[in-house]
Amino acid sequence: MEENKKRGWFRKKKGTKNARPTHHNKPSHVEGKSGGKHFGGKKLRIIPLGGLEEVGKNIMALEYGDDIVIIDAGMSFAGPDMLGVDFIVPDISYLEARKKKIRGILFTHGHLDHIGAIQYVLPKLGNPPIYTNKLALGLIKNRLKEFALDKSAKLNLVNETSKLKLGAFDIEFFRVNHSIPNSMGVYLGTPVGNIVHTGDFKFDHSPAIDKPTDFQRIAEIGKKGIDVLMVDSTNALRPGFCKSEAEVAKTLEDIIEKTKGRLIIASFSSLIGRINQIVNFAAKNNRKVFLSGRSMINNVQLSEELGYSTYPKGTVRKLNAQANSLPPSQVLILTTGAQGETLSALTRMSIGEHSQIKIREGDTVVISASPIPGNELAVVNVINNLYAQGAKVITNNDMDIHVSGHAHQEELKLMYALIKPKCYVPIHGELYMRRGHIEMIKTVADPRMLATCLDNNGDVLEVSKQGIRKSKEKVPANDILVDGLGFGDIGSRVIQDRKIMSEDGIVVMLFHAYEESKRLISEPDILSRGFLYLKESEEIANEVKQVARKSFDQITQQNRKIGLKDLKKELERNISNFIRKRLRREPMIIPIIMYA
Amino acid sequence: MEENKKRGWFRKKKGTKNARPTHHNKPSHVEGKSGGKHFGGKKLRIIPLGGLEEVGKNIMALEYGDDIVIIDAGMSFAGPDMLGVDFIVPDISYLEARKKKIRGILFTHGHLDHIGAIQYVLPKLGNPPIYTNKLALGLIKNRLKEFALDKSAKLNLVNETSKLKLGAFDIEFFRVNHSIPNSMGVYLGTPVGNIVHTGDFKFDHSPAIDKPTDFQRIAEIGKKGIDVLMVDSTNALRPGFCKSEAEVAKTLEDIIEKTKGRLIIASFSSLIGRINQIVNFAAKNNRKVFLSGRSMINNVQLSEELGYSTYPKGTVRKLNAQANSLPPSQVLILTTGAQGETLSALTRMSIGEHSQIKIREGDTVVISASPIPGNELAVVNVINNLYAQGAKVITNNDMDIHVSGHAHQEELKLMYALIKPKCYVPIHGELYMRRGHIEMIKTVADPRMLATCLDNNGDVLEVSKQGIRKSKEKVPANDILVDGLGFGDIGSRVIQDRKIMSEDGIVVMLFHAYEESKRLISEPDILSRGFLYLKESEEIANEVKQVARKSFDQITQQNRKIGLKDLKKELERNISNFIRKRLRREPMIIPIIMYA
């Protein structure tokens, strides 16, 4: 939308060369999407295939001539309306059709919303080489192991000083901070324009075990002359600065020092830095640390193997019976489940169904996380249940025990100022966040610069010598739903059926009849699930049976040659109408007809 | 829990009379629940049957000898785990068994979480008389009309100066503020102790059309000597004061003045005061107001009938085609749907499926509400969709366009100071809120006073000449689930089945066999819903059929006399195991066996 209004300012004189911007350089090559002019020459195409209509499932393709570079390949969790869907991976059919052109996948960091689709993406794309930092590489290896893909993967370690040449792309990295160590932004130089992708980022002058943001390096990247800045929008609606991890550490240290009873701390298992600090504080206060939850155990083990841990060896162990027998003041349990996930260790503890830990009076539970939108009720349930078991619960509402990993508005403004791009493209966030982000950009950016909202996954931004514009083309970018072992074998019809059954259940009506005469051999039988207790509602069951019988007789008397399909359809309609009127419910109706 | 720790302080000398408290009166008659002493004499029993394990479904019974008075009879909305449940009403079996003793139901205000179970409660309790204020009475009448119960109901109008004698109870009221006009707190005097029930409340010196809180009156009530204060906990974890409705009015006036295009404001239809102000601002700015959504139309009509409206006659009308044809600057649409409810007007507008209103570029949508926990994602969806249709959206995150109706911490403290009860009982809120509320009470209350957490609905607080204590008794207080027209005809088993089907669907396997020989007449047939596209997954369908056939043969060969029930159970297990291994899914399996 925005670029239309500014089109006049950006139209470029024909033939002008792509000028590298200086401080007050007048942008000269940005053009609105509906400009009908010739837009020729070799183009760089920037295609976010995920991460624009959700927080998660981040993946972006950059295509220039015969070369494609991919940034991230994440998954997203399914919303509550996606019944039974375990998670979602991006639609990569566009890339699959061009897999010969793929020069590599860069991963900005090791979170699942950036690496979690790798088991789906790698085999489909002909196993392209992977480039990422030490920690992300370790996490990717672990994930690939689960799917027996680790042996074949082409894993390449890079760091913030690495320079890569992948086809036409000159690639460099820069250090940012985030809620996992080693996060990086990416610079990609091409013959028609230079791109910066921030990855997920915040600025932190006192991170946990990570180094602080390298502002000089980011400024240096900016000095190269950046045409397009793809920038994280997750917290673009939040004013001010994101607090430092050091503040969280201080509060957690305080809690660990002052708490007398047993301590249970739930957090994200990828918060390697925070976990490391918690273990150190525990050691200082003579608490043994017990790990609970598969991802917590795996990630702590990985962080030790890769040398991220700074605590004395042997301070942590898997949860065992000692956690119950040691004096409470010597126990600290680090667990997963801060999002109230149904099967997580913390949820099981909260309802007294954890095999090893029974919550008892005097326990303090610290939830060092914020609920991800959609998880609020689940987290509240866990908290209520913990209270009911006798624990005290401390959340981020009570004390500063969690900070986000994403830049707030003032940090975003600082990023703009360091990079000074010609065109801003908010990424990573839902539409309303990215639209808000654009409003914010307008408050600080040179009004001659372009802020472009790619509304949807699969939208294409084209960069050429002539300028930057949103293409009219749409690349397929559907959600690929993952349920159990199947990728994409369920779709909207299946979800729709699940929804109907989740609301009013299912009623199966059994008809046994003579094929020729269409006379019923016996009363129709009824069977239901999720509808009502038929045993306790015999009256209703009988009414439904009667309606079914009458309906069957009527339909078949009117047309003794009626086909099976039509007969079923009419039966379904009649029974459905009756139940709707009688009970105001709309279960799924399945008539089954067996002919003798 | 709390009272145990303090038991020593509160044990009363035998025979001492119930002393009315003065400012620093040492509380003399409060006793812990596990005090084994004689606890005789006539008792007042306070029984919250709802409102303690949820925000909603508020209902409380007070029983003294042969008299019962009920305060409120609300419903609550079902959480997302309550699949297909429309809403929940309280379990009133305890009251039903004692309906002869019921002297009346008092309603503190007209919100659904306080009046919404009336159609269920009235018939079950022998139609006891109702006492409430003008607005709540109007809303109750409307609700009863829907269920054809309005003719028989015994409706009595009271106001903040009314005094009632209902059996042993001396009843008075006091004015509070809330997000609906005319909200009241209740004083109940009995021979063994005086009770105050705050209802839902906040303090507001500048409410919309309501009068400000009457602090002198509340102080006067406090002076009577209050033994138990039942106090709203909804915002007990929020510091400071709740903002005044006047601040919201100012911001909304500003928006209405400055917006050039069409304005769509979504809010709660019960916010009679705010709606009234919006209409006035609209009139001042030459905007016609169109009402959208059934409850919005009904409530505005009621408020006009009862004389709450202060705007010129004819300013509002039902939504019609004019809202599209008038110049945008002359249109203001007031609509329901601020919670992202699936079928609401705003949701339909956001996806382009509203029959009368198409959102267009230039429209501004103001969501003058906060999402109720659990609705966050739905609201975000609506906002994203509105942006995608071209609208600009303003929410409470952008400007102060909504305030809560519930007291924050400093208001609660003021209430304590005005009432000075011997015993505090936090009500209205989930366990974690009420536990937090108790912690907060401890920071300001005389430490000799008692703060009692009734953990669950159905817990009983006993007040007698000897003191106040939590009884060991538990009164039945289950959730009565309402689905369509049925009250309580679905239960946890039905919900559990819905859950299974919502996650992985259902597979029906049809076996046609000879009864005697148990030989299959034909291949088993398979039919599924919400499982996977069988048509596109023929391979899997065939595998399942084979497993089903083999399983049937094996089971029946081993035991040709096997009963139908056992045969079904074993088939179910075998098919289920196969699908779990093959697809990591667990659909509901229903084997149907027809014998020839």
Side-chain angles (χ1 to χ4, degrees):
Chain A
M1 314 267 134
E2 289 68 19
E3 62 271 40
N4 277 332
K5 296 179 196 147
K6 293 183 178 164
R7 205 174 56 212
W9 302 340
F10 286 96
R11 190 156 298 163
K12 200 198 160 207
K13 280 177 208 130
K14 245 182 181 163
T16 315
K17 276 216 169 170
N18 176 16
R20 289 277 168 255
T22 57
H23 203 104
H24 284 287
N25 191 17
K26 188 164 176 177
S28 54
H29 68 320
V30 183
E31 183 168 345
K33 67 174 168 185
S34 44
K37 303 193 332 170
H38 171 72
F39 192 78
K42 228 174 174 181
K43 289 170 203 155
L44 167 67
R45 291 156 54 79
I46 302 178
I47 314 166
L49 291 168
L52 293 194
E53 294 171 49
E54 59 265 304
V55 174
K57 207 180 85 188
N58 297 292
I59 178 168
M60 182 177 293
L62 293 101
E63 181 178 22
Y64 181 80
D66 280 338
D67 301 310
I68 291 177
V69 168
I70 300 165
I71 302 178
D72 292 331
M75 51 166 269
S76 70
F77 288 100
D81 49 331
M82 293 280 192
L83 296 171
V85 175
D86 298 330
F87 56 94
I88 302 169
V89 294
D91 182 345
I92 50 169
S93 49
Y94 180 84
L95 296 173
E96 214 180 341
R98 290 158 185 81
K99 62 181 160 192
K100 291 239 164 84
K101 296 168 76 174
I102 298 170
R103 304 293 159 240
I105 312 182
L106 318 172
F107 288 94
T108 56
H109 63 283
H111 276 153
L112 283 177
D113 54 337
H114 294 255
I115 69 165
I118 193 162
Q119 74 282 11
Y120 175 72
V121 166
L122 274 200
K124 278 212 183 275
L125 300 187
N127 202 24
I130 286 168
Y131 302 87
T132 191
N133 63 64
K134 191 167 70 171
L135 181 58
L137 210 63
L139 289 161
I140 286 171
K141 259 189 215 163
N142 278 353
R143 189 155 182 91
L144 289 173
K145 233 178 251 170
E146 282 180 51
F147 299 88
L149 291 167
D150 54 318
K151 294 270 159 36
S152 56
K154 299 170 191 156
L155 304 175
N156 300 286
L157 183 65
V158 296
N159 65 29
E160 62 213 44
T161 63
S162 304
K163 292 188 182 190
L164 299 177
K165 177 83 183 164
L166 297 182
F169 293 90
D170 290 309
I171 294 164
E172 299 185 25
F173 303 93
F174 55 94
R175 190 165 75 230
V176 292
N177 294 109
H178 188 40
S179 39
I180 186 170
N182 269 187
S183 293
M184 309 187 301
V186 185
Y187 160 86
L188 305 104
T190 75
V192 291
N194 298 332
I195 313 300
V196 163
H197 183 296
T198 64
D200 284 351
F201 84 101
K202 68 184 279 191
F203 295 139
D204 197 337
H205 301 291
S206 48
I209 46 175
D210 221 4
K211 288 185 202 158
T213 306
D214 186 345
F215 291 94
Q216 291 182 341
R217 170 74 176 139
I218 298 177
E220 185 185 276
I221 296 274
K223 284 279 209 173
K224 288 172 186 277
I226 302 304
D227 296 274
V228 180
L229 173 66
M230 322 292 293
V231 52
D232 182 12
S233 308
T234 314
N235 277 343
L237 304 181
R238 298 205 187 161
F241 291 88
C242 186
K243 284 185 187 170
S244 169
E245 187 66 27
E247 296 193 43
V248 171
K250 211 170 158 319
T251 317
L252 286 172
E253 185 172 19
D254 228 54
I255 292 173
I256 294 170
E257 255 177 47
K258 288 185 185 153
T259 301
K260 297 214 173 64
R262 194 160 60 166
L263 252 174
I264 298 165
I265 303 183
S267 196
F268 295 109
S269 63
S270 61
L271 275 163
I272 304 285
R274 189 177 305 167
I275 289 167
N276 192 68
Q277 290 187 316
I278 290 172
V279 176
N280 269 316
F281 299 145
K284 230 173 83 182
N285 287 278
N286 295 316
R287 285 184 189 261
K288 289 197 192 316
V289 176
F290 298 87
L291 303 177
S292 156
R294 194 170 63 102
S295 69
M296 186 62 80
I297 294 165
N298 288 347
N299 285 2
V300 168
Q301 193 184 342
L302 180 68
S303 119
E304 289 187 3
E305 279 168 18
L306 298 180
Y308 287 90
S309 57
T310 62
Y311 46 79
K313 270 219 153 180
T315 319
V316 307
R317 74 228 68 214
K318 278 189 204 176
L319 192 55
N320 62 43
Q322 265 203 314
N324 293 312
S325 58
L326 279 176
S329 65
Q330 293 175 23
V331 175
L332 189 154
I333 299 168
L334 251 174
T335 182
T336 55
Q339 294 298 317
E341 302 94 329
T342 317
L343 297 175
S344 71
L346 187 66
T347 300
R348 282 181 282 128
M349 288 177 203
S350 76
I351 51 175
E353 286 189 2
H354 194 280
S355 58
Q356 292 173 300
I357 295 296
K358 294 279 165 263
I359 297 290
R360 50 197 189 203
E361 199 90 11
D363 286 350
T364 299
V365 179
V366 178
I367 300 183
S368 178
S370 292
I372 293 168
N375 294 345
E376 294 87 350
L377 283 184
V379 173
V380 160
N381 262 342
V382 168
I383 295 172
N384 279 328
N385 291 335
L386 287 168
Y387 269 112
Q389 303 276 336
K392 193 188 154 185
V393 184
I394 301 175
T395 74
N396 207 28
N397 289 329
D398 306 305
M399 297 186 197
D400 286 336
I401 51 176
H402 181 65
V403 289
S404 166
H406 299 271
H408 286 210
Q409 292 181 344
E410 295 308 311
E411 290 157 279
L412 291 167
K413 291 175 188 170
L414 194 45
M415 181 63 95
Y416 314 152
L418 288 164
I419 297 292
K420 289 198 155 293
K422 291 209 185 79
C423 173
Y424 300 80
V425 180
I427 55 169
H428 298 179
E430 300 185 45
L431 183 58
Y432 80 99
M433 299 171 179
R434 292 181 295 106
R435 288 284 180 91
H437 193 166
I438 284 185
E439 294 302 313
M440 208 256 301
I441 290 170
K442 286 182 185 168
T443 65
V444 292
D446 184 330
R448 295 164 305 175
M449 298 298 162
L450 187 66
T452 291
C453 196
L454 295 180
D455 282 357
N456 300 304
N457 293 327
D459 282 353
V460 179
L461 189 76
E462 291 182 349
V463 181
S464 77
K465 294 273 184 202
Q466 278 76 38
I468 301 171
R469 69 169 186 185
K470 195 147 91 180
S471 163
K472 280 175 193 145
E473 190 192 344
K474 292 280 258 166
V475 160
N478 301 304
D479 284 343
I480 307 294
L481 311 181
V482 183
D483 184 5
L485 294 181
F487 283 85
D489 63 347
I490 57 169
S492 57
R493 176 66 191 274
V494 167
I495 302 283
Q496 184 57 28
D497 283 352
R498 288 180 183 174
K499 191 163 167 52
I500 293 170
M501 295 189 291
S502 80
E503 284 174 0
D504 288 318
I506 190 167
V507 173
V508 179
M509 293 296 315
L510 234 64
F511 299 87
H512 200 186
Y514 294 107
E515 183 153 20
E516 203 51 26
S517 67
K518 297 282 189 303
R519 268 196 27 238
L520 282 170
I521 294 168
S522 53
E523 274 280 282
D525 216 351
I526 183 171
L527 188 154
S528 83
R529 291 289 187 280
F531 173 51
L532 42 68
Y533 290 125
L534 282 184
K535 278 182 193 160
E536 291 176 18
S537 315
E538 253 182 76
E539 196 188 321
I540 286 172
N542 285 332
E543 288 176 33
V544 176
K545 280 188 206 170
Q546 270 191 35
V547 168
R549 183 173 51 73
K550 273 191 200 158
S551 178
F552 190 94
D553 289 346
Q554 264 171 16
I555 298 165
T556 52
Q557 268 166 33
Q558 277 169 21
N559 176 7
R560 214 166 295 278
K561 300 270 170 249
I562 189 165
L564 201 57
K565 206 171 153 188
D566 289 335
L567 177 54
K568 280 185 186 174
K569 202 185 264 175
E570 288 199 40
L571 286 170
E572 187 188 329
R573 203 185 49 215
N574 292 345
I575 297 166
S576 190
N577 282 342
F578 171 76
I579 292 176
R580 189 185 312 112
K581 273 188 206 143
R582 177 71 172 80
L583 294 166
R584 267 199 225 160
R585 289 183 201 168
E586 307 195 35
M588 177 163 285
I589 310 286
I590 304 193
I592 293 180
I593 298 160
M594 304 261 291
Y595 287 130
Chain B
M1 313 269 135
E2 289 67 20
E3 61 271 38
N4 275 331
K5 298 181 195 148
K6 293 187 179 161
R7 207 174 55 213
W9 300 343
F10 287 96
R11 188 155 300 161
K12 198 200 162 208
K13 278 178 210 127
K14 246 183 178 164
T16 314
K17 275 218 167 174
N18 176 15
R20 288 278 168 254
T22 57
H23 203 105
H24 284 286
N25 191 18
K26 188 164 176 178
S28 54
H29 67 321
V30 183
E31 182 169 345
K33 68 172 167 186
S34 42
K37 303 193 329 168
H38 171 72
F39 191 79
K42 228 174 174 181
K43 289 171 202 156
L44 167 66
R45 289 156 55 79
I46 302 179
I47 313 167
L49 290 168
L52 294 196
E53 294 171 49
E54 59 267 304
V55 174
K57 207 181 85 186
N58 297 293
I59 179 168
M60 182 177 292
L62 293 100
E63 181 178 21
Y64 181 80
D66 281 337
D67 301 311
I68 291 177
V69 168
I70 300 165
I71 302 177
D72 292 331
M75 51 167 270
S76 70
F77 288 101
D81 50 331
M82 293 280 192
L83 295 170
V85 174
D86 298 331
F87 57 93
I88 302 169
V89 293
D91 181 347
I92 50 169
S93 49
Y94 180 86
L95 296 173
E96 214 181 341
R98 289 156 184 81
K99 62 181 162 191
K100 291 241 165 83
K101 294 167 80 173
I102 298 170
R103 305 292 160 239
I105 312 183
L106 318 173
F107 288 94
T108 56
H109 63 283
H111 276 153
L112 283 178
D113 55 337
H114 294 255
I115 70 165
I118 192 160
Q119 73 282 11
Y120 174 72
V121 166
L122 274 200
K124 278 214 184 276
L125 299 187
N127 203 23
I130 286 168
Y131 302 88
T132 191
N133 62 64
K134 191 167 70 170
L135 181 57
L137 209 64
L139 290 161
I140 285 171
K141 259 189 214 162
N142 278 354
R143 189 155 182 92
L144 289 173
K145 232 178 249 170
E146 281 181 51
F147 298 89
L149 291 168
D150 53 318
K151 294 270 157 43
S152 56
K154 299 169 191 156
L155 304 173
N156 301 285
L157 183 65
V158 296
N159 65 29
E160 62 213 44
T161 63
S162 303
K163 292 187 183 191
L164 298 178
K165 176 85 182 163
L166 297 181
F169 293 90
D170 290 309
I171 294 166
E172 299 185 26
F173 303 92
F174 55 93
R175 190 166 74 231
V176 292
N177 294 110
H178 187 42
S179 39
I180 187 169
N182 270 187
S183 293
M184 308 188 301
V186 185
Y187 161 85
L188 305 104
T190 76
V192 291
N194 298 333
I195 313 299
V196 163
H197 183 296
T198 64
D200 284 350
F201 84 101
K202 68 184 279 192
F203 295 139
D204 197 337
H205 301 291
S206 49
I209 47 176
D210 220 6
K211 288 185 203 159
T213 307
D214 188 345
F215 290 93
Q216 291 181 342
R217 170 72 176 139
I218 298 176
E220 185 184 275
I221 297 273
K223 284 279 211 173
K224 289 172 186 277
I226 302 304
D227 296 273
V228 180
L229 173 67
M230 319 295 292
V231 53
D232 183 10
S233 308
T234 314
N235 276 344
L237 304 181
R238 299 207 183 158
F241 290 88
C242 187
K243 283 185 184 168
S244 169
E245 188 66 26
E247 295 194 43
V248 171
K250 211 169 159 316
T251 318
L252 286 173
E253 185 172 19
D254 228 54
I255 293 172
I256 293 170
E257 255 177 49
K258 288 183 185 155
T259 302
K260 298 216 170 66
R262 194 160 60 166
L263 251 175
I264 298 165
I265 302 184
S267 196
F268 296 108
S269 63
S270 61
L271 275 164
I272 306 285
R274 189 177 305 166
I275 290 167
N276 192 67
Q277 290 187 315
I278 290 172
V279 176
N280 270 315
F281 298 145
K284 231 172 82 181
N285 287 279
N286 294 316
R287 285 185 188 261
K288 288 197 194 316
V289 176
F290 298 87
L291 302 178
S292 156
R294 194 170 63 101
S295 68
M296 186 63 80
I297 293 165
N298 289 347
N299 285 2
V300 168
Q301 193 184 343
L302 181 68
S303 119
E304 290 187 2
E305 279 168 17
L306 298 180
Y308 287 90
S309 56
T310 62
Y311 47 79
K313 269 218 154 180
T315 319
V316 305
R317 73 227 68 211
K318 279 189 205 176
L319 192 55
N320 62 43
Q322 266 203 314
N324 293 312
S325 58
L326 280 176
S329 65
Q330 293 174 24
V331 175
L332 189 152
I333 299 168
L334 249 175
T335 183
T336 55
Q339 294 298 316
E341 303 93 329
T342 317
L343 297 174
S344 71
L346 187 65
T347 300
R348 281 181 284 128
M349 289 177 202
S350 76
I351 51 176
E353 288 190 0
H354 194 280
S355 58
Q356 292 172 301
I357 295 296
K358 295 278 164 263
I359 297 290
R360 52 198 188 201
E361 200 90 9
D363 286 350
T364 300
V365 179
V366 177
I367 300 184
S368 178
S370 292
I372 292 167
N375 294 345
E376 294 88 350
L377 284 184
V379 174
V380 160
N381 262 343
V382 168
I383 295 172
N384 279 328
N385 291 335
L386 287 167
Y387 269 112
Q389 304 274 336
K392 192 187 153 186
V393 184
I394 301 176
T395 73
N396 206 29
N397 288 329
D398 307 305
M399 297 185 196
D400 286 336
I401 51 175
H402 181 65
V403 288
S404 167
H406 298 271
H408 286 212
Q409 293 181 342
E410 295 308 311
E411 290 157 278
L412 290 168
K413 291 174 189 172
L414 194 45
M415 181 62 94
Y416 313 153
L418 288 164
I419 297 292
K420 290 199 155 290
K422 290 210 185 79
C423 174
Y424 300 81
V425 180
I427 55 170
H428 298 178
E430 300 184 46
L431 183 58
Y432 80 100
M433 299 171 178
R434 292 181 293 107
R435 288 284 179 92
H437 194 168
I438 283 185
E439 294 301 313
M440 209 255 302
I441 290 170
K442 285 182 185 169
T443 66
V444 293
D446 184 330
R448 296 163 304 176
M449 298 298 163
L450 188 67
T452 292
C453 196
L454 295 180
D455 282 356
N456 301 304
N457 293 327
D459 281 353
V460 179
L461 189 76
E462 291 182 350
V463 180
S464 77
K465 294 274 185 203
Q466 277 75 37
I468 302 171
R469 68 170 187 185
K470 195 148 93 179
S471 162
K472 280 174 194 147
E473 190 191 343
K474 291 282 257 167
V475 161
N478 301 304
D479 284 342
I480 306 295
L481 310 181
V482 184
D483 184 5
L485 294 181
F487 283 86
D489 63 348
I490 56 170
S492 56
R493 175 66 192 274
V494 167
I495 303 284
Q496 184 56 28
D497 283 352
R498 287 179 183 175
K499 191 163 168 51
I500 292 170
M501 295 189 292
S502 79
E503 285 174 359
D504 288 318
I506 189 166
V507 173
V508 179
M509 293 296 315
L510 232 65
F511 300 87
H512 200 188
Y514 296 106
E515 184 153 21
E516 203 50 27
S517 67
K518 298 281 189 302
R519 269 199 21 241
L520 283 169
I521 294 168
S522 52
E523 273 280 281
D525 216 350
I526 183 172
L527 189 155
S528 82
R529 290 289 186 282
F531 173 53
L532 42 70
Y533 291 124
L534 282 183
K535 277 182 194 160
E536 291 175 19
S537 315
E538 253 184 75
E539 195 189 318
I540 286 172
N542 285 331
E543 287 176 35
V544 175
K545 278 188 206 168
Q546 270 192 32
V547 167
R549 183 174 49 74
K550 272 191 204 159
S551 177
F552 190 93
D553 289 346
Q554 264 172 17
I555 298 165
T556 52
Q557 269 168 31
Q558 276 170 21
N559 175 8
R560 215 167 294 277
K561 299 271 170 246
I562 189 167
L564 199 57
K565 208 173 155 186
D566 289 334
L567 177 55
K568 280 184 185 174
K569 202 185 265 177
E570 288 200 39
L571 285 169
E572 188 188 329
R573 203 186 49 214
N574 292 346
I575 297 166
S576 191
N577 282 343
F578 172 76
I579 292 176
R580 189 186 312 113
K581 274 188 205 143
R582 177 72 172 81
L583 294 166
R584 266 198 227 161
R585 289 183 201 169
E586 306 195 36
M588 176 163 286
I589 310 286
I590 304 192
I592 294 180
I593 298 160
M594 303 264 286
Y595 286 129

